């Protein structure tokens, strides 16, 4: 199955430096360092605003009390990361997807219907994040890779996107840990010698721990600072830095939160047994229609012999909360 990309306006794409998308981080030049003072005000603004782009303080408690299904969230995040790896989306795209999902779940409860609401929400959030950050976006059908138990038609996903937008009050340009890591890397490594590694490794650490519900307790700035500190531990020249001094990087940072997040993150990094995400290929859709329909609408066979995936084409819950028909 060929992948369809939403690229109807190629002339509108900017001609950025290829290094922006190559994963290479710019060195911290003298002019960059001179501008840090003026940048601090902007970073402080991010810190002040970041609480507007995270779930409420009791969101983690809902998972701890099993009011929300932590395993379902973990599976949804794992699926988002698989798609992000397959299409080589930016790390920010994956993080925003999860951010949208968490903020939605804090304000709106999903129906308890055999997992399809989680899958639909994951697809919608990933689609919205990709539209925000990626220059080329696969079609909604191509976003749904092997491993997804349900396949949704485009109109269903679009309705779900509108519901997510409504619940989030259309605030998609979120403050995330990636809003801070370059600034914190420059603060820790003022010479710029290891800045590229710090940013790259911190990004990897942030994504690898995004499935862990425990990190929902921390704000993006604390997560970013903790990730930079963990990355610095792998560089002998920087490993002697006292983590407690990270609070001085900018006004508004909390030493207690940074240290708590850092200890949790360090424990997970030291016990790292993560599996590398496997690239998957989009699979042809499989339709299993109702027995009440005519034989011409009968179900087709899946290209995978192990199981079948259902296509849900009329999810009334998206509009009125009643469920899928």
């Amino acid at each position: 199955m060929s992948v369809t990309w939403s690229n109807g306006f190629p002339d509108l794409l900017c001609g950025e430096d290829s290094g922006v998308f190559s994963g290479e981080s710019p060195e911290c030049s003298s002019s960059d360092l001179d501008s840090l003072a003026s940048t601090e005000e902007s970073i402080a603004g991010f810190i002040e605003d970041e609480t507007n782009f995270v779930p409420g303080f009791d969101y983690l408690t809902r998972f701890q009390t099993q009011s929300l299904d932590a395993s379902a969230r973990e599976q949804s995040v794992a699926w988002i990361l698989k798609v992000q790896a397959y299409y080589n989306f930016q790390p920010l795209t994956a993080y925003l997807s999860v951010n949208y999902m968490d903020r939605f779940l804090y304000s709106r409860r999903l129906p308890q219907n055999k997992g399809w609401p989680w899958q639909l929400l994951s697809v919608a959030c990933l689609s919205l994040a990709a539209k925000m950050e990626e220059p080329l976006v696969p079609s909604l059908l191509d976003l749904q890779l092997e491993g997804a138990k349900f396949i949704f038609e485009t109109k269903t996903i679009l309705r779900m996107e509108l519901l997510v937008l409504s619940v989030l009050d259309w605030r998609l340009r979120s403050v995330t840990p990636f809003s801070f890591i370059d600034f914190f890397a420059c603060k820790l490594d003022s010479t710029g010698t290891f800045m590229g590694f710090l940013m790259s490794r911190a990004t990897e650490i942030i994504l690898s721990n995004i499935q862990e519900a425990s990190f929902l307790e921390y704000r993006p700035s604390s997560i970013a600072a903790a990730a930079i500190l963990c990355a610095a531990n792998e560089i002998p020249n920087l490993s002697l830095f006292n983590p407690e001094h990270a609070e001085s990087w900018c006004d508004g940072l909390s030493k207690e939160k940074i240290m708590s997040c850092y200890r949790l993150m360090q424990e997970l990094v030291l016990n790292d047994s993560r599996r590398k995400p496997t690239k998957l290929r989009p699979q042809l859709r499989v339709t299993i229609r109702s027995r009440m329909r005519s034989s011409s609408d009968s179900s087709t066979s899946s290209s995978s012999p192990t199981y079948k995936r259902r296509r849900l084409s009329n999810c009334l819950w998206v509009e009125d909360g009643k469920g899928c028909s």
Side-chain angles (χ1 to χ4, degrees), residues 7 13 68 115 173 244 260 269:
N7 187 20
L13 296 180
L68 285 173
R173 186 61 67 186
E244 294 187 359
S260 176
V269 169

Side-chain angles (χ1 to χ4, degrees), residues 180-206:
F180 303 96
I181 58 172
D182 56 344
F183 178 80
F184 290 165
C186 252
K187 280 291 190 178
L188 182 60
D189 178 27
S190 60
T191 66
T193 305
F194 304 104
M195 186 177 174
F197 173 82
L198 287 173
M199 293 176 61
S200 175
R201 181 61 178 139
T203 296
E204 181 182 346
I205 292 172
I206 290 169

Side-chain angles (χ1 to χ4, degrees), residues 122 128 155 159 163 240 276 289 321:
S122 301
L128 288 171
K155 62 181 180 181
R159 290 206 306 270
L163 179 59
L240 298 180
K276 297 298 181 181
R289 301 186 186 274

Side-chain angles (χ1 to χ4, degrees), residues 280-305:
L280 305 172
R281 296 188 179 279
Q283 183 179 5
L284 290 174
R285 289 181 298 152
V286 179
T287 304
I288 300 180
R289 301 186 186 274
S290 171
R291 296 178 182 177
M292 299 296 293
R293 299 185 182 181
S294 64
S295 58
S296 62
D297 291 331
S298 61
S299 63
T300 59
S301 299
S302 171
S303 59
S304 172

Side-chain angles (χ1 to χ4, degrees), residues 68-93:
L68 285 173
D69 190 346
S71 63
R73 179 189 181 273
E74 183 177 346
Q75 293 171 13
S76 296
V77 175
W79 178 83
I80 288 173
L81 291 175
K82 286 182 180 180
V83 180
Q84 181 256 346
Y86 177 80
Y87 285 114
N88 197 28
F89 287 160
Q90 300 177 70
L92 178 57
T93 300

Side-chain angles (χ1 to χ4, degrees), residues 177 201-210 212 214-215 218-231 233 257-272 274:
R201 181 61 178 139
T203 296
E204 181 182 346
I205 292 172
I206 290 169
L207 283 189
S208 67
N209 292 320
I210 197 174
E212 182 63 46
S214 300
F215 286 99
Y218 304 103
R219 298 294 184 242
S221 58
S222 297
I223 294 174
I228 289 292
L229 292 171
C230 284
N233 286 337
K257 286 297 184 180
I258 291 175
M259 291 304 301
S260 176
C261 185
Y262 170 67
R263 285 191 289 266
L264 174 62
M265 195 174 287
Q266 192 175 40
E267 178 182 350
L268 294 176
V269 169
L270 289 176
N271 300 318
D272 187 5
R274 299 188 308 272

